[in-house]
Amino acid sequence: MPRSSSRIFHGWWIVLAAFVCHAVNVGLMFYAWGVFLTPLAAHFGGRAAVALGYTGVQVATALYGLMVGPIVDRRGARPVETVGALLLGGGFLALSRVDSLPALYLVLAGPVAL
C-alpha cells in the first residue's frame, strides 16, 4: 500500500500564494479606493475627475495584461510578481506626492495599474 504523506501538496502552496497576491491587489485597488477617493476629490475639486483616474486604472490594467501574459510565460510568475509588487508599492508612494490631475492620471495608469 502506498504510504500517505503528511506534507501538504505543493500545488496548494501555489494556490495560497495566488490567493494572497489577489487579495492584496483587489483590496488595494477595489475596496480601498473609497479611502483615497474622498481626500483626492477634495484636493482636485470633484469626484468625477478622480473617478476618471480609477477608470484609467481599469483600462490600463486590461491592456497591460496583454503584455504581461507573454512575459509570465517566458520568465515565470515569480520575477513578474516581484516586479509588480515593487511597482505597485512605488505607485502608491508616488500617489501620495501627486499635486495635479494629470500627474494623478499618470501615476494611476502607470505603476499602479502595471
Side-chain angles (χ1 to χ4, degrees), residues 6-44:
S6 63
R7 296 180 61 192
I8 297 176
F9 176 62
H10 179 72
W12 288 114
W13 290 112
I14 295 170
V15 170
L16 177 65
F19 176 80
V20 170
C21 291
H22 186 68
V24 168
N25 187 19
V26 169
L28 287 173
M29 288 311 304
F30 185 72
Y31 294 112
W33 181 250
V35 175
F36 293 106
L37 180 61
T38 303
L40 287 172
H43 182 74
F44 292 118

